[in-house]
Amino acid sequence: MPTTTDVTVRSVVDVPWDDVRTVFGTRGDPSTCWCQYFKLPNAAWETMTRDECAGLLQQQVRANDPAPGMIAYLEGEPVGWCAVEPKTHYERLRRAKVSTQGSSEDPDDASVWAVTCFVVRVGFRKKGVGGALLRGAVDQARELGARVIEGYPVDTAVRVKAPSAELYHGTLSLFTAAGFELVSRPSRDRAVVALTL
């Protein structure tokens, strides 16, 4: 049986695009969003097709300014994704209540990075993939000059029966286990956490 030590993480710019497609899949929220929700204004988001969203992520990967995320592998199989970039790349996040009311960081400071999304394929959950992705995201942010990395997780101790589709922000326990500190609680079940690098 695979263990958490069998999970490896690589920057999305260093993996085949077919592996990214495998992780995002063809059904469910990941297959329609491709981690574009926090980047697009609402009007553009409302009209985007899944193929257009996938194309935008592919362009962002090619631009590598910086790499927009990490891909996790378990026994060579692509199994997960974590979005991590400077917060300035996420226009909608910069205006979202969780950020405007929860973060003390300047929204225009490019040294503040954000972890916005996790995708772990069905059948590979509860195997340490999320934790490995978060460690990889922190490492990449540190290597590329981030000063602080923020997350906006769901507190599953408060929202006990949250479905997996609503946990794409990650869980508070996932972030605190990785050394992130609680900054604020902009709502009862959501937190802002930060790690100074």
Side-chain angles (χ1 to χ4, degrees):
M1 169 174 261
T3 67
T4 58
T5 58
D6 297 324
V7 180
T8 58
V9 178
R10 296 173 60 195
S11 175
V12 68
V13 298
D14 297 328
V15 305
W17 183 249
D18 282 346
D19 289 359
V20 180
R21 285 188 184 280
T22 297
V23 170
F24 280 89
T26 58
R27 60 189 176 95
D29 292 337
S31 72
T32 59
C33 180
W34 290 80
C35 277
Q36 299 307 302
Y37 177 78
F38 290 112
K39 294 183 174 188
L40 296 171
N42 197 48
W45 171 252
E46 294 293 330
T47 62
M48 293 296 281
T49 67
R50 86 177 50 211
D51 288 341
E52 289 171 327
C53 285
L56 284 174
L57 180 60
Q58 192 170 30
Q59 288 173 15
Q60 293 153 10
V61 170
R62 285 183 184 143
N64 190 15
D65 185 31
M70 312 299 290
I71 295 287
Y73 291 85
L74 185 59
E75 297 183 330
E77 178 80 12
V79 297
W81 156 266
C82 177
V84 58
E85 291 183 79
K87 191 173 173 179
T88 54
H89 290 200
Y90 296 112
E91 191 57 40
R92 186 186 301 244
L93 173 64
R94 294 170 66 201
R95 294 188 321 270
K97 175 184 172 183
V98 72
S99 181
T100 60
Q101 294 182 13
S103 174
S104 60
E105 296 292 338
D106 178 350
D108 296 320
D109 184 345
S111 73
V112 179
W113 283 44
V115 172
T116 59
C117 182
F118 291 88
V119 175
V120 178
R121 290 173 54 203
V122 173
F124 298 98
R125 295 174 184 160
K126 300 190 186 280
K127 298 181 186 292
V129 175
L133 282 164
L134 185 54
R135 287 188 299 276
V138 168
D139 289 346
Q140 177 166 286
R142 180 182 288 118
E143 288 171 17
L144 295 176
R147 176 181 57 82
V148 173
I149 185 167
E150 289 185 338
Y152 316 92
V154 175
D155 186 347
T156 53
V158 173
R159 205 159 156 204
V160 177
K161 297 191 182 206
S164 60
E166 294 178 13
L167 299 178
Y168 67 93
H169 302 289
T171 63
L172 181 57
S173 60
L174 175 73
F175 280 90
T176 56
F180 284 71
E181 294 184 7
L182 181 65
V183 172
S184 67
R185 285 187 176 270
S187 68
R188 196 172 78 79
D189 62 348
R190 292 289 300 283
V192 175
V193 294
L195 180 67
T196 301
L197 302 176

